[in-house]
Amino acid sequence: MFTPRTKLHRVAAAVTMAGALIGLGAGAANAADWPQLQNGAYLYSGTTGTGSVTEADLDDFGTCHTLAKPARSVQVASGSASLELYSGAGCTGAAPWRTGSLAQTDLPWAVLSYRVVPA
């Protein structure tokens, strides 16, 4: 015989399982569009990690780097560094956009320069 408590546990378990499956499906679909995640930081001229790629030197903290082509997406996998991305050359622009130390995203605007900063 089912008690209200047993029923509640089963409903909670079903909701949790459904959420996990939806999350896994969305993650797999998103990850399939991107290059395989690897250590380092990479700026791409196209969205979802497409186009020409520039690898950032994560050991070069604080130096401003101007890109040959504007970047539209970024991928970072580092335990200690992230990137500050700027819309203008020479690390200029209204406000920098900062990644985390683990990021894979399309950028809100094209960036022309970056600086490596501690995570």
Side-chain angles (χ1 to χ4, degrees):
M1 181 164 173
F2 292 110
T3 65
R5 187 174 183 175
T6 304
K7 215 173 193 181
L8 181 61
H9 284 312
R10 286 186 180 196
V11 169
V15 168
T16 301
M17 181 61 79
L21 291 174
I22 289 169
L24 285 174
N30 185 36
D33 297 342
W34 283 84
Q36 183 175 351
L37 189 62
Q38 56 187 333
N39 285 329
Y42 305 91
L43 296 153
Y44 300 92
S45 62
T47 58
T48 61
T50 60
S52 61
V53 62
T54 300
E55 183 175 0
D57 179 0
L58 292 180
D59 294 323
D60 188 13
F61 285 91
T63 304
C64 180
H65 298 273
T66 298
L67 300 169
K69 289 183 177 182
R72 297 297 313 193
S73 58
V74 64
Q75 180 173 284
V76 179
S78 167
S80 60
S82 58
L83 299 179
E84 275 186 353
L85 305 169
Y86 298 85
S87 60
C91 295
T92 62
W97 191 85
R98 186 179 264 201
T99 71
S101 61
L102 182 60
Q104 186 179 59
T105 188
D106 288 337
L107 299 169
W109 54 78
V111 299
L112 296 175
S113 57
Y114 71 92
R115 182 183 325 266
V116 178
V117 295

